[in-house]
């Protein structure tokens, strides 16, 4: 079948069939762009995808940055000892009872917009500012979710600081990444003064697996702006999907580094003895020791005890419960090297710990009035941050079997501001409100019952369980017996208890790593050392381009008919590169060849379309949308002038797209010269 991109009808096709002969380019062809005329050199049917091992760039150390919604941090390991993961230095400041291996995702900029501080330092400095002075400073917190929720994300997207002032999101993220870069490089220099500066570091940035391509590209652009890597050395930066990173780390763990939630002492809310994992796998371990084949698998894969006791082909789910999202992936363990195969596309949604914070804010609005809370946040932003810190400390102590009420300290400025605004005190507001499960204590605290606190968790916890149950109902993931609960929100006893109660009864073993809050960060380091560990992924969407095909009466709708120079074309045909939920191996390539429509053309732009459906026929079908553009930058064609009357030789540009990595990648070659052509896919241009 003949297929011609809609931006031009001139093309060259391999083979001698008349149906694949060159087609003259009619004037006024629809959707023709002056600089974008192209035509494929191959029929619309894709050639068999080629698998090619990705080329690894040289590096001495991997530095991973886990950029989280509520907390962030970095870790690293040297190529000479890749599994010896070094956590970042302990941070100054912090909260009582909270481990400080990571720091809050808080950024403070001066009134002029210059970088001041990040993390605990930023939060504490902002908190100590005079209320009037604080209104001029730009304080950002929990801003990662803005990238996930933005439906029209571009490089010009703005973020709003606590005081209401706006700043380009790209600059905000770049400030944060630059902070981590400088700290990490200084620590590396202190540990290894002889480490060369250039081409030394492979950087890894973590993002949720459910993030779409524009958000991933946005993080890469922020990394360029922050100076982590240059565009010329783009391969020195990897984007790691958070649940994948957790999976890579969990496969290295030993039994004593895991907690099986089914072993909790009934009714206690505390972790019981971890006999469940040890006893349930003891027999499997003995069987493996008697099997020569399994011993080979154990030695060659380098996986931990738990994974050595799993058979090749066993399946498991990783639920990354973070501050902003729940991110689910399901993997299958493969022989002989312990590589991983994704069985279903990444799923999840905005069911993170920040949802509990929003529920608390809504509760305050019911008690004191939504208008007052909005005014207080705007006019006393530092005091509002102080209140959120107090709630965070209380939230971390919540549990299904917590005894006694929970106390949340109200800042004096809140109490004073309310009295001046309303003319009565907060105790009166509590008595008058319809909220009867929150009381006032003479120590200046809100007293909340455990049941009330647990109710604040319920919408997010229920959402997480629903996402997991929906995934387990998929036919592709039948037979899963193991669920890893990871991420910062997974530290919550409320969430752990609810997930175990809902899913344990159906025979699913729910396991939590001891260092649950650092699982993604450590896994990202391991992923950076061996990015090929996830061998097969599932495409989350269907991707393709719009083309013209020969019009076939009875098969093509009449309204798609285009007649030019006596030829009948069907317009808006969706030529698919990869289908939603299709398995794609790492390094597998989808090949297409294009011919510039005009001699001397220097740039080719090809619109890309995507949709969730697998069977879309036209780019005008419901759900199909333009999602990006493939750009090819061409050098002047070589060779002298053509003989009189001879048509100019057509120029073939062969593109190779990869959909099996964490980002969609493209390379291109000028076939006539065998030289690389600068190729890129822009998902932020819409």
């Amino acid at each position: 079948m003949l297929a011609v991109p809609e931006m031009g009808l001139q093309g060259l096709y391999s083979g001698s069939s008349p149906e694949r002969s060159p087609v003259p380019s009619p004037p006024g062809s629809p959707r023709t762009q002056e600089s974008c005329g192209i035509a494929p050199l191959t029929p619309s049917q894709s050639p068999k995808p080629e698998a090619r091992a990705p080329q690894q760039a040289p590096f001495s150390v991997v530095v991973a940055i886990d950029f989280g919604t509520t907390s962030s941090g970095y870790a690293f390991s040297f190529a000479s000892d890749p599994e010896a993961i070094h956590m970042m230095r302990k941070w100054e400041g912090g909260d009582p009872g909270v481990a400080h291996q990571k720091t809050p995702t808080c950024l403070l900029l001066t009134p002029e917009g210059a970088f001041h501080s990040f993390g605990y330092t930023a939060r504490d400095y902002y908190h100590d500012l005079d209320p009037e002075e604080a209104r001029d400073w730009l304080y950002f917190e929990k801003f990662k979710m803005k990238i996930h929720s933005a439906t029209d994300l571009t490089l010009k997207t703005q973020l709003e600081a606590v005081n209401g002032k706006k700043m380009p999101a790209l600059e905000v993220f770049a400030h944060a990444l630059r902070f981590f870069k400088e700290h990490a490089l200084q620590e590396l220099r202190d540990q290894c003064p002889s480490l060369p500066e250039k081409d030394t570091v492979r950087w890894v940035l973590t993002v949720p697996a459910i993030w779409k391509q524009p958000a991933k590209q946005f993080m890469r652009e922020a990394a360029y702006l922050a100076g982590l890597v240059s565009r010329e050395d783009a391969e020195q930066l990897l984007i790691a999907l958070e649940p994948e990173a957790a999976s890579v780390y969990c496969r290295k763990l030993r039994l004593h580094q895991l907690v099986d939630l089914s072993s909790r002492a009934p009714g206690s809310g505390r972790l019981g003895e971890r006999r469940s994992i040890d006893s349930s796998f003891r027999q499997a371990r003995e069987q493996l020791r008697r099997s020569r084949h399994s011993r080979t698998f154990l030695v060659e894969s380098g996986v931990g005890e738990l994974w050595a006791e799993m058979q090749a082909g066993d399946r498991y789910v990783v639920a990354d419960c973070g501050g902003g999202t729940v991110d689910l992936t399901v993997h299958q363990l493969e022989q002989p090297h312990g590589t991983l195969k994704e069985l279903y596309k990444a799923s999840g949604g905005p069911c993170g710990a920040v949802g509990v914070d929003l529920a608390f804010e809504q509760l305050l609005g019911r008690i004191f009035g939504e208008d007052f809370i909005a005014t207080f946040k705007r006019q006393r932003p530092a005091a509002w941050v102080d209140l959120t810190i107090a709630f965070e400390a209380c939230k971390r102590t919540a549990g299904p079997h917590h005894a006694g009420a929970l106390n949340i300290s109200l800042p004096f400025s809140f109490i004073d501001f309310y009295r001046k605004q309303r003319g009565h005190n907060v105790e009166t507001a509590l008595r008058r409100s319809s909220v009867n499960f929150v009381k006032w204590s003479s120590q200046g605290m809100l007293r909340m019952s455990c049941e009330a606190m647990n109710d604040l968790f319920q919408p997010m916890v229920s959402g997480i369980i629903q996402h997991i149950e929906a995934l387990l109902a998929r036919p592709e993931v039948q037979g899963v017996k193991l669920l890893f609960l990871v991420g910062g929100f997974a530290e919550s006893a409320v969430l752990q208890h609810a997930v175990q109660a809902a899913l344990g009864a159906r025979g699913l073993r729910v396991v939590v790593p001891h260092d649950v809050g650092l699982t993604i960060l450590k896994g990202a380091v391991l992923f950076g050392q061996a990015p090929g560990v996830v061998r097969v992924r599932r495409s989350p969407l269907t991707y393709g381009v719009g083309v013209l095909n020969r019009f076939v009466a009875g098969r093509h709708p009449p309204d798609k008919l285009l007649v030019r120079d006596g030829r009948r074309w069907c317009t808006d045909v969706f030529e698919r590169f990869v289908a939603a939920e299709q398995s794609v191996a790492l390094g597998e390539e989808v090949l297409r060849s294009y011919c510039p429509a005009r001699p001397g053309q220097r740039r080719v732009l090809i619109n890309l379309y995507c949709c969730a459906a697998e069977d879309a026929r036209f780019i005008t079908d419901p759900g199909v949308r333009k999602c990006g553009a493939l750009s090819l930058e061409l050098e002047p064609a070589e060779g002298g002038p053509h003989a009189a009357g001879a048509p100019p030789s057509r120029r073939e540009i062969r593109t190779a797209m990869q959909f099996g990595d964490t980002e969609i990648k493209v390379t291109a070659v000028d076939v006539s010269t065998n030289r690389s052509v600068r190729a890129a896919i822009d998902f932020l241009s819409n």
Side-chain angles (χ1 to χ4, degrees), residues 175-196:
H175 277 306
L177 293 177
R178 191 178 298 113
F179 167 84
F180 283 115
K181 171 201 169 187
E182 293 172 354
H183 273 256
L185 291 181
Q186 183 59 53
E187 186 168 352
L188 286 172
R189 284 191 290 265
D190 293 344
Q191 287 204 22
C192 189
S194 62
L195 202 65

Side-chain angles (χ1 to χ4, degrees), residues 109-126:
L109 305 180
T110 67
E112 296 75 31
F115 177 83
H116 180 273
S117 51
F118 186 88
Y120 285 116
T121 304
R123 193 194 70 180
D124 295 344
Y125 187 93
Y126 185 66

Side-chain angles (χ1 to χ4, degrees), residues 100-288:
H100 302 158
Q101 287 116 326
K102 294 203 286 187
T103 194
T105 307
C106 304
L107 173 69
L108 181 62
L109 305 180
T110 67
E112 296 75 31
F115 177 83
H116 180 273
S117 51
F118 186 88
Y120 285 116
T121 304
R123 193 194 70 180
D124 295 344
Y125 187 93
Y126 185 66
H127 169 263
D128 293 338
L129 286 172
D130 178 81
E132 292 300 322
E133 185 182 4
R135 293 168 64 176
D136 295 326
W137 288 66
L138 287 82
Y139 181 77
F140 299 88
E141 62 176 357
K142 301 172 184 175
F143 50 88
K144 178 183 174 182
M145 275 297 290
K146 301 296 183 182
I147 303 305
H148 172 71
S149 59
T151 56
D152 55 348
L153 181 65
T154 70
L155 296 178
K156 297 181 180 180
T157 296
Q158 300 271 309
L159 285 182
E160 186 174 305
V162 172
N163 63 0
K165 295 182 179 180
K166 293 185 177 181
M167 189 172 185
L170 194 68
E171 294 184 24
V172 174
F173 278 79
H175 277 306
L177 293 177
R178 191 178 298 113
F179 167 84
F180 283 115
K181 171 201 169 187
E182 293 172 354
H183 273 256
L185 291 181
Q186 183 59 53
E187 186 168 352
L188 286 172
R189 284 191 290 265
D190 293 344
Q191 287 204 22
C192 189
S194 62
L195 202 65
E197 289 279 341
K198 186 173 177 56
D199 300 329
T200 294
V201 179
R202 165 178 278 175
W203 296 90
V204 181
L205 289 181
T206 65
V207 302
I210 58 174
W211 270 18
K212 295 180 173 59
Q213 295 298 325
K216 296 176 185 178
Q217 182 184 340
F218 182 91
M219 290 299 292
R220 179 170 284 277
E221 294 291 340
Y224 292 151
L225 184 59
L228 267 68
V229 299
S230 65
R231 296 182 187 275
E232 291 71 26
D233 297 319
E235 70 281 355
Q236 291 294 101
L237 171 66
L238 299 180
I239 298 296
L241 308 183
E242 290 166 357
E244 280 192 2
S247 178
V248 171
Y249 177 68
C250 286
R251 65 194 280 279
K252 295 287 185 181
L253 295 179
R254 297 184 176 275
L255 299 181
H256 70 274
Q257 297 171 301
L258 300 163
V259 175
D260 188 341
L261 296 186
S262 64
S263 65
R264 286 185 185 273
S268 70
R270 297 187 302 273
L271 293 174
E273 293 184 11
R274 294 181 291 278
R275 285 192 288 259
S276 178
I277 283 186
D278 292 316
S279 60
S280 63
F281 285 114
R282 188 174 295 122
Q283 183 178 5
R285 182 192 299 118
E286 186 61 30
Q287 292 174 346
L288 285 171

